[in-house]
Amino acid sequence: VLFFCNTEVGRVLSFRYILAAVCAFGVSGTAQAQMDGDVLSAFNDAVSNGSPGRIETAALALMNEAMANPSDPDATVAAFEASLKLAEQEECAAAIPGADFAMRQQATASHPLMEDRRVLLAYARYCDDSTSESRSELEASLMNVTEPSMLTLRAWIDLYTGYGGSSRWRDAVRTAS
């Protein structure tokens, strides 16, 4: 082999073998990061059987796991579902980072649809801090909904009751219609 490497042909072939080896090891070294299955199992178990505190803890863990592994094919749906559970638990400030992460991921034709991601982020912001800006953002996101869901229903009701609670009757009527 040493004799062969000392010739011009040997050096070219050696270079090609080294290049092929580097490519092979380089490709195998860049495998996609995967979320921890135990975190997902803990979330599912908490949602099925847990107390609000346990759901919150598991949702935060899943959201953080998804954001730490953005190349995982399930990261978007995991962050969305975790943030949704946090919003349902009225932990809206905690839901914002995961909802924002899901919103920034590539649009797909499957769950969660971009319109649902937009509503979740707007709803979390509105619930965290009901300002004219967050109300406008939530209202705009709801106007684009084509497939209603429990999330959109809850967001509409909260927006409507928020207007009614502050005696903004015209906004409440406009929101209701």
Side-chain angles (χ1 to χ4, degrees):
V1 174
L2 286 176
F3 172 74
F4 191 67
C5 287
N6 287 334
T7 68
E8 186 63 32
V9 172
R11 279 182 284 225
V12 170
L13 287 175
S14 295
F15 176 75
R16 287 184 183 165
Y17 285 121
I18 291 170
L19 183 61
V22 167
C23 288
F25 288 116
V27 169
S28 67
T30 60
Q32 286 186 345
Q34 296 294 309
M35 293 188 309
D36 184 346
D38 291 340
V39 174
L40 180 58
S41 294
F43 174 77
N44 288 333
D45 184 53
V47 169
S48 296
N49 308 312
S51 65
R54 189 167 163 226
I55 293 170
E56 180 185 346
T57 300
L60 284 169
L62 181 60
M63 182 181 73
N64 290 330
E65 183 71 14
M67 292 187 312
N69 295 287
S71 64
D72 186 296
D74 297 322
T76 302
V77 71
F80 178 87
E81 290 297 331
S83 296
L84 179 61
K85 282 298 169 200
L86 288 167
E88 288 174 359
Q89 299 289 321
E90 297 181 5
E91 295 296 334
C92 294
I96 292 172
D100 183 58
F101 170 83
M103 185 66 202
R104 288 182 282 116
Q105 300 308 299
Q106 186 173 16
T108 64
S110 59
H111 177 72
L113 298 175
M114 196 55 80
E115 71 181 28
D116 293 327
R117 297 181 211 180
R118 194 171 289 111
V119 170
L120 178 58
L121 180 57
Y123 180 65
R125 287 177 176 162
Y126 170 77
C127 290
D128 179 49
D129 187 18
S130 178
T131 64
S132 61
E133 183 179 324
S134 65
R135 277 189 299 277
S136 294
E137 180 185 6
L138 179 56
E139 213 171 312
S141 71
L142 288 168
M143 293 297 178
N144 294 319
V145 170
T146 57
E147 292 293 323
S149 66
M150 290 303 292
L151 169 63
T152 59
L153 178 62
R154 182 179 185 146
W156 274 114
I157 290 170
D158 284 1
L159 186 60
Y160 173 78
T161 56
Y163 282 141
S166 60
S167 300
R168 296 178 60 181
W169 304 118
R170 287 193 173 139
D171 290 326
V173 168
R174 180 180 42 77
T175 302
S177 50

